[in-house]
């Protein structure tokens, strides 16, 4: 059984079929979700501009902007996770849904008993992906900070003919005494050296 991740989560339903919208809305609202309806891809984008939902449920086959077209916009222009609703479980459609980054898939006519569990599972998957992306960003930031610090230590070693440990200790102590992150001081030092080098080129050109 999938543990509920619903803490009044916001769901955007996008479908040109009002009967389907009404059915899904009633069931999800009864499960204590906050539901917003959109009858087209264009309407959905306007809704998202006002307030991003926690997940969007997209009908694949809609006139005008299809669910797949809308998914592409959501993927490139927003951070809104999405799942698909389709009248077919054709393997090719499912494959395309996965390629577009869908976190869930439901087939029409929807099984009433499966609506809430499927949405909960999709929300849980979306949250897992968000956590992974956040970890990747933090890791990238940490690696960049480490490179900056290492380069600054190398610069101090060259400038003052010191050992790596001494150069690192001086940099760290300076950062601590000024109550600043060491990577911030290191980056500032590197920028200052770059500026000096630019002036060195200007003077040598005289």
């Amino acid at each position: 059984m999938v543990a509920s991740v619903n803490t009044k989560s916001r769901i955007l339903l996008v479908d040109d079929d009002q009967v389907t919208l009404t059915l899904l809305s009633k069931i999800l609202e009864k499960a204590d979700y906050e539901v917003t309806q959109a009858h087209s891809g264009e309407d959905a984008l306007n809704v998202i501009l006002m307030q991003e939902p926690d997940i969007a449920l997209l009908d694949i086959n809609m006139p005008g902007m299809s669910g797949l077209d809308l998914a592409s916009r959501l993927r490139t222009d927003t951070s809104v996770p999405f799942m698909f609703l389709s009248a077919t479980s054709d393997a090719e459609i499912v494959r395309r849904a996965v390629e577009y980054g869908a976190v869930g898939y439901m087939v029409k006519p929807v099984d009433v008993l499966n609506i809430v569990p499927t949405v909960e599972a999709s929300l849980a998957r979306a949250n897992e992906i968000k956590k992974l992306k956040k970890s990747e960003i933090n890791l990238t930031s940490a690696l960049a900070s480490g490179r900056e610090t290492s380069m600054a230590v190398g610069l101090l070693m060259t400038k003052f003919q010191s050992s790596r440990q001494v150069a690192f200790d001086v940099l760290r102590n300076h950062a601590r005494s000024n109550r600043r992150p060491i990577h911030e001081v290191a980056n500032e030092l590197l920028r200052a050296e770059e500026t000096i080098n630019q002036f060195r080129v200007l003077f040598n050109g005289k």
Side-chain angles (χ1 to χ4, degrees):
M1 181 179 293
V2 178
S4 175
V5 294
N6 177 23
T7 54
K8 204 64 174 180
S9 298
R10 295 187 303 273
I11 301 178
L12 173 61
L13 304 178
V14 190
D15 199 316
D16 61 311
D17 180 7
Q18 185 58 51
V19 174
T20 300
L21 285 176
T22 300
L23 173 64
L24 291 172
S25 294
K26 286 183 177 179
I27 292 173
L28 292 170
E29 286 171 350
K30 188 175 181 180
D32 203 31
Y33 286 97
E34 182 180 320
V35 179
T36 303
Q37 297 182 11
H39 295 86
S40 68
E42 292 81 3
D43 287 344
L45 292 175
N46 289 329
V47 170
I48 290 170
L49 284 175
M50 301 298 293
Q51 184 180 49
E52 287 196 355
D54 294 300
I55 194 167
L57 176 52
L58 318 177
D59 180 30
I60 287 184
N61 295 312
M62 293 186 292
M65 183 183 295
S66 71
L68 293 175
D69 293 335
L70 177 56
S72 293
R73 292 286 299 276
L74 296 184
R75 190 173 183 179
T76 58
D77 301 338
T78 77
S79 59
V80 177
F82 52 87
M83 54 189 297
F84 284 122
L85 180 63
S86 175
T88 177
S89 58
D90 180 81
E92 176 61 19
I93 296 295
V94 175
R95 183 188 65 78
R96 291 184 68 188
V98 172
E99 288 179 352
Y100 274 71
V103 294
Y105 193 94
M106 281 199 291
V107 178
K108 294 181 180 181
V110 292
D111 183 338
V112 172
L113 295 178
N114 284 335
I115 292 173
V116 172
T118 301
V119 168
E120 288 186 343
S122 299
L123 274 168
R125 175 59 180 157
N127 289 332
E128 290 173 3
I129 293 172
K130 285 181 180 178
K131 289 178 182 178
L132 286 172
K133 288 182 177 179
K134 185 175 181 180
S135 297
E136 290 174 0
I137 291 172
N138 290 340
L139 177 59
T140 300
S141 178
L143 290 173
S145 297
R147 285 194 296 270
E148 290 169 355
T149 301
S150 179
M151 290 171 65
V153 167
L155 177 61
L156 291 174
M157 289 172 62
T158 301
K159 290 287 186 182
F160 300 101
Q161 299 298 305
S162 71
S163 67
R164 176 169 293 277
Q165 187 60 52
V166 169
F168 176 77
D169 288 343
V170 169
L171 181 63
R172 180 186 57 188
N173 292 338
H174 178 74
R176 284 178 176 175
S177 65
N178 287 276
R179 296 181 180 179
R180 297 173 62 192
I182 187 171
H183 70 86
E184 186 178 289
V185 175
N187 193 35
E188 187 176 274
L189 183 62
L190 293 173
R191 288 199 303 269
E193 177 65 12
E194 183 179 347
T195 301
I196 290 173
N197 286 336
Q198 290 173 354
F199 275 98
R200 184 176 291 116
V201 171
L202 294 175
F203 274 101
N204 290 338
K206 295 294 184 180

